[in-house]
Amino acid sequence: MSGDAELEAEAARDRGQKAAINAFPSESSLASLPESPDAYTHTAFMHTISNMADLRLHDAFESAPSLSLDDLDVYQQLDVGDVDTSLMSRAKLKAMVKKQVTPKKILLRDKLAFVAGTVLAMLSAYWLGWSPTTFYRIYTAEAFVLFTLRWALYRIKKWHYYLFDFCYVANVLLLVHLWVFPHSAYMHKVTFAYAAGPLAWSVVAFRNSLVFHSLDKTTSLFLHWFPACVAWTERWHPDVHVREYNKKSTEAMAEWHDASLLDLVVLPMIPYLVWALLYYVKIFVLSSSRIQQRGYDTLFNYTTANPKSGVSKFVKQFPPKAQPVAYMALHVTLTGATFAVCKVWWNYYHAHTVFLLAILSISAWNGASYYFEVFAHRYVQTVGLPSKPARKKQ
């Protein structure tokens, strides 16, 4: 290699090293990033660092001086190893995506989601008061849309093992009852115990929030509260076809309207225990290694992660191998207790109605707490909008 060629090769290596060094975010760039208050923001934080590195590397290559045809033979003699030719395309793609995901567009998306959530809540409330006998229809339509979206999003986030939880099974059983076995008094009582029992109380246990702009929070509240509303309509305002069917037989009428503790506790417990056994085998035996290796999240991990929670304190008293059994035993005990309370909701219309309103009020309080204590302080920094200075009083 000639002297000029060696000098040119050395300059090329220097440019490559500078490009690689400059690809990493500077300290000032890292300091401007928001803090990571939770796992979701932490993920976005790491993606932001990766994007900054790729884009700066892309800018470094673009700013490098172009080569003439005479310099081509010099570079052909250099052994640079395998070069990722997709780097430039990935950087350009990320730059295009970054242009689309701007603070103003995120703000517009959240505004539209808030409007849609508000309209949907108003429509559901109007339907519940206007035609309670057909409320199950809007519940079915919303369940199809929201549960489909949740499955797709949770699959991407590695949260899809949440879909094995009892709340989803109870919703499926309710839909089967409504559309396949609408005249079954047994399924009527079983789904009533599920919806007015563990599902309704889950709004309190998991602090479900009435947050209109959040698809995830809206779906969680729908998952637990809407079945309770359907159970209320079935108990006090059954569908016209069900009423006509029950009028054919006094026995059918009595079986539909009468329920003992046996009907509301023991009978619902049978399919529930079947689910509990299958859930334990699936989550803690068959898929235990897969969940740990791939970092999948489960309700067991979620409820035991907070050392201050009552569930965590109870479960962590046991050895690690016995904790899944302790968790399931606690689950069964609490679920059975909510079944027993359902006897009150079944017998007394006003008590049942006040209970549903209380659950909704709790979710509204949780939503207000989220908006004013968490959301208002975090949203501007997370989205990247500039803070507007406060107006001076005239």
Side-chain angles (χ1 to χ4, degrees):
M1 183 181 297
S2 62
D4 293 338
E6 291 180 355
L7 292 176
E8 184 62 31
E10 185 67 25
R13 284 194 294 271
D14 291 340
R15 287 194 295 269
Q17 291 176 356
K18 290 180 180 180
I21 294 173
N22 292 332
F24 291 93
S26 63
E27 293 184 1
S28 60
S29 300
L30 293 177
S32 64
L33 292 175
E35 296 181 358
S36 176
D38 49 36
Y40 178 82
T41 310
H42 175 71
T43 304
F45 177 82
M46 298 308 297
H47 280 299
T48 303
I49 294 179
S50 176
N51 292 344
M52 292 171 60
D54 285 349
L55 290 175
R56 295 185 65 175
L57 183 58
H58 170 253
D59 294 338
F61 276 106
E62 283 191 340
S63 62
S66 59
L67 299 177
S68 63
L69 294 177
D70 296 335
D71 297 327
L72 184 60
D73 59 336
V74 176
Y75 281 87
Q76 287 177 343
Q77 298 178 38
L78 295 177
D79 183 12
V80 296
D82 296 331
V83 178
D84 187 0
T85 57
S86 63
L87 177 62
M88 296 288 290
S89 60
R90 289 205 312 272
K92 291 181 179 179
L93 179 61
K94 289 182 179 180
M96 292 174 58
V97 172
K98 187 177 181 180
K99 290 181 180 179
Q100 297 298 322
V101 187
T102 60
K104 290 185 178 180
K105 290 185 178 180
I106 294 176
L107 186 62
L108 176 61
R109 180 201 64 189
D110 288 344
K111 287 181 178 180
L112 293 175
F114 184 91
V115 172
T118 305
V119 171
L120 187 61
M122 294 174 62
L123 175 62
S124 300
Y126 172 77
W127 197 315
L128 183 60
W130 166 66
S131 180
T133 58
T134 61
F135 181 76
Y136 69 92
R137 298 178 184 176
I138 190 174
Y139 160 75
T140 303
E142 293 182 24
F144 177 79
V145 175
L146 293 177
F147 292 162
T148 301
L149 291 174
R150 169 151 289 194
W151 178 87
L153 295 174
Y154 273 29
R155 188 69 179 85
I156 296 173
K157 296 179 180 180
K158 297 183 179 182
W159 294 353
H160 52 286
Y161 275 85
Y162 280 105
L163 305 181
F164 288 101
D165 295 328
F166 180 71
C167 296
Y168 297 94
V169 175
N171 274 267
V172 171
L173 289 177
L174 178 58
L175 290 170
V176 170
H177 163 55
L178 294 173
W179 294 100
V180 182
F181 304 106
H183 304 136
S184 172
Y186 168 73
M187 292 201 68
H188 169 48
K189 297 170 186 177
V190 168
T191 55
F192 179 91
Y194 292 163
L199 265 64
W201 286 104
S202 292
V203 175
V204 181
F206 295 110
R207 293 183 56 83
N208 290 160
S209 307
L210 193 62
V211 178
F212 293 121
H213 83 279
S214 171
L215 176 62
D216 186 64
K217 294 183 182 298
T218 299
T219 304
S220 295
L221 181 60
F222 173 88
L223 172 72
H224 298 130
W225 194 70
F226 265 60
C229 294
V230 174
W232 180 85
T233 61
E234 273 221 303
R235 174 67 184 100
W236 307 109
H237 304 279
D239 183 68
V240 60
H241 300 291
V242 174
R243 293 200 304 266
E244 292 178 354
Y245 177 84
N246 291 334
K247 288 180 180 179
K248 298 178 181 179
S249 170
T250 56
E251 294 181 358
M253 180 73 72
E255 188 178 4
W256 183 270
H257 290 286
D258 298 338
S260 63
L261 279 176
L262 174 68
D263 297 325
L264 296 176
V265 178
V266 179
L267 296 182
M269 188 63 71
I270 296 174
Y272 166 78
L273 290 177
V274 173
W275 165 84
L277 178 62
L278 295 176
Y279 181 85
Y280 180 86
V281 172
K282 171 62 179 176
I283 301 299
F284 299 111
V285 180
L286 298 180
S287 300
S288 177
S289 300
R290 182 186 183 91
I291 291 171
Q292 295 179 1
Q293 292 173 0
R294 301 197 177 187
Y296 294 149
D297 201 5
T298 64
L299 187 61
F300 172 78
N301 296 333
Y302 173 80
T303 54
T304 58
N306 183 8
K308 297 182 179 180
S309 69
V311 176
S312 179
K313 291 179 180 179
F314 173 79
V315 172
K316 293 300 177 65
Q317 296 180 74
F318 298 87
K321 291 185 178 180
Q323 289 179 4
V325 177
Y327 169 79
M328 295 304 301
L330 181 62
H331 199 289
V332 172
T333 303
L334 295 177
T335 300
T338 62
F339 287 166
V341 179
C342 287
K343 178 62 176 174
V344 178
W345 316 143
W346 182 276
N347 288 343
Y348 301 101
Y349 169 82
H350 291 96
H352 192 188
T353 304
V354 170
F355 171 67
L356 290 183
L357 292 176
I359 294 296
L360 180 61
S361 300
I362 291 173
S363 69
W365 176 264
N366 293 337
S369 300
Y370 173 80
Y371 273 121
F372 293 108
E373 296 178 8
V374 179
F375 183 81
H377 298 285
R378 187 189 303 172
Y379 189 73
V380 172
Q381 292 84 358
T382 301
V383 173
L385 290 171
S387 300
K388 294 182 178 180
R391 295 182 179 179
K392 295 182 179 180
K393 293 183 179 181
Q394 299 294 333

